[in-house]
Amino acid sequence: MKPVLGIETSCDETAAAVVDGDGRILAEAVLSQLAEHAPFGGVVPEIAARSHLRYLPEQVRQTMVKAGVDFRDLAGIAASSGPGLIGGLIVGSQFAKGIAIANGLPFVPINHLEAHALTARLPGLVVDGAPFPYLLFLLSGGHSQCIAVEDVGQHIRLGGTIDDAVGEAFDKVAKLLGLDWPGGPALEKLAETGDPNRYPFPRPMLRRPGCNLSLSGLKTAVAQTMMRLGEISPAQPECADIAASFQQAVVDVLADRATHAMDMMHARFPGSNLLVVAGGVASNTQVRKALSEAARVRGFRMVAPPVRLCSDNAVMVAWAGIERLRRGVSDDISFAAQPRWPLEALQALAS
Ligand code: KG4
Ligand code: ZN
């Protein structure tokens, strides 16, 4: 199959990539808006949309030049069309439609979650590949979900967060600790010097049936502890102990939820034994260690795409486009970007 151009603008990364039918990445670019949002302590949707609008056209031009591919040589244009921040989704998907119409190419609207879900199938990315069906544990700033990935367009949501996403919880607690946004990596660093057993924070949902998550109670417990301690700076040992104790509570919850998810997966698909972990939080060493151990105990193989491909990027969007076009999914120029687009709704799109 000819190459596909992928475009990602669902949150705070502007990204473009050209991937060929064999999964070779011909060119890719990711522009992070971190610096633009940092003064506000989180992503500002209006700033995100304007920034995509400003940088995407030139980024796509340069990516195509780097790939050495002309628009007319493409099999199609794929763009994240939901779920996400609607302003950015409109910028990316309408831009993609414009290129598609101008060059007589199919436009493939991509569900951003499906793009994460299919990344592990990029040829050569993970050892021994990722044949269907497999279990995806998606742990990012906006999503925390356990998904049974049965096929392209066929996903079963086994569970997920009922309040904060895992990355969001890391970011909020990091903010309480006086760390900069996004707080996950900074909190992990601070936790290295802390005592994970100093504060016995709650482990919400532990051992409950299913694999739903809830982290807002844990976040509140941290806030209450900090209030009790009064004014403390990130340099004080109490802060490192809080960071380490919070991280340990999250790790324990994630390992438990993943274990339940693997049991649910096994009940539905007795032959399945693959756990794919993705999203920014998957780069946390303690999280990886605990999930890998939980997988080993359950007889599962755990794989995690490299961080640059499991946080937001356009390679995954182009690849999802290839997987869809291969299944004969045809042009869908009338598809309107959707801020909410559950994976279960995808089945109707699969051919
Ligand atoms: O997947 P991602 O790059 O972007 C989206 O949310 O779509 O995930 C970003 C999230 C942020 O909340 C960030 O704080 C968290 O992942 N994160 C981490 C670590 N690195 C990134 N959380 C904990 N430990 C880390 N090392
Ligand atoms: Zn994402």
Side-chain angles (χ1 to χ4, degrees):
M1 190 200 279
K2 291 191 216 167
V4 167
L5 167 66
I7 290 175
E8 163 57 42
T9 55
S10 69
C11 191
D12 59 341
E13 262 93 24
T14 312
V18 180
V19 178
D20 77 9
D22 296 324
R24 271 190 300 260
I25 302 166
L26 304 185
E28 64 170 311
V30 182
L31 200 62
S32 167
Q33 300 174 356
L34 222 70
E36 289 169 78
H37 299 293
F40 304 95
V43 178
V44 183
E46 175 77 15
I47 293 176
R50 284 170 189 261
S51 188
H52 292 308
L53 197 56
R54 179 162 180 204
Y55 294 110
L56 182 65
E58 181 57 17
Q59 184 185 56
V60 166
R61 195 190 65 77
Q62 285 184 18
T63 305
M64 292 295 289
V65 168
K66 214 155 124 202
V69 173
D70 190 84
F71 286 128
R72 284 182 300 261
D73 302 330
L74 295 171
I77 320 265
S80 276
S81 302
L85 301 174
I86 190 64
L89 291 170
I90 289 174
V91 171
S93 58
Q94 296 303 105
F95 184 72
K97 284 182 192 181
I99 301 174
I101 291 170
N103 295 279
L105 297 167
F107 165 71
V108 191
I110 298 296
N111 179 296
H112 178 87
L113 298 176
E114 174 162 68
H116 276 300
L118 298 177
T119 306
R121 289 173 50 77
L122 252 176
L125 195 68
V126 301
V127 180
D128 295 334
F132 296 124
Y134 55 85
L135 172 66
L136 173 76
F137 205 10
L138 178 59
L139 305 171
S140 72
H143 311 282
S144 300
Q145 299 192 359
C146 298
I147 299 161
V149 185
E150 211 182 338
D151 203 336
V152 177
Q154 288 182 34
H155 310 273
I156 303 163
R157 189 180 185 279
L158 301 176
T161 184
I162 54 170
D163 39 59
D164 293 348
V166 186
E168 191 182 352
F170 266 96
D171 292 342
K172 286 179 177 167
V173 168
K175 200 171 190 175
L176 290 171
L177 290 168
L179 304 172
D180 285 340
W181 177 85
L187 193 150
E188 178 178 15
K189 181 111 203 48
L190 183 61
E192 280 169 15
T193 57
D195 174 4
N197 301 313
R198 168 88 183 270
Y199 297 100
F201 292 132
R203 268 77 169 151
M205 313 286 274
L206 206 71
R207 289 186 277 278
R208 290 259 189 95
C211 58
N212 277 344
L213 289 161
S214 164
L215 294 167
S216 74
L218 171 57
K219 181 191 64 194
T220 306
V222 173
Q224 284 168 343
T225 300
M226 296 211 52
M227 256 167 29
R228 257 202 327 274
L229 290 173
E231 280 282 299
I232 50 169
S233 81
Q236 285 176 256
E238 286 82 359
C239 261
D241 290 343
I242 289 174
S245 301
F246 162 78
Q247 182 174 263
Q248 190 57 51
V250 173
V251 163
D252 290 350
V253 168
L254 292 181
D256 177 76
R257 302 291 80 193
T259 299
H260 279 237
M262 285 184 277
D263 290 345
M264 290 164 79
M265 186 72 190
H266 200 71
R268 275 177 192 264
F269 304 101
S272 69
N273 62 355
L274 178 63
L275 169 65
V276 176
V277 185
V281 183
S283 56
N284 182 294
T285 310
Q286 300 306 321
V287 169
R288 266 182 196 248
K289 251 198 219 160
L291 293 180
S292 163
E293 175 58 15
R296 193 192 60 75
V297 170
R298 280 294 186 274
F300 272 57
R301 171 166 72 96
M302 189 203 93
V303 298
V307 175
R308 84 187 163 85
L309 291 179
C310 67
S311 54
D312 286 352
N313 66 88
V315 171
M316 68 178 189
V317 179
W319 176 248
I322 289 166
E323 294 249 41
R324 300 209 127 233
L325 284 165
R326 262 211 200 113
R327 309 277 158 138
V329 173
S330 59
D331 186 27
D332 199 359
I333 203 84
S334 63
F335 188 91
Q338 299 185 21
R340 286 176 198 281
W341 185 7
L343 274 172
E344 298 85 283
L346 268 178
Q347 275 168 19
L349 276 181
S351 64

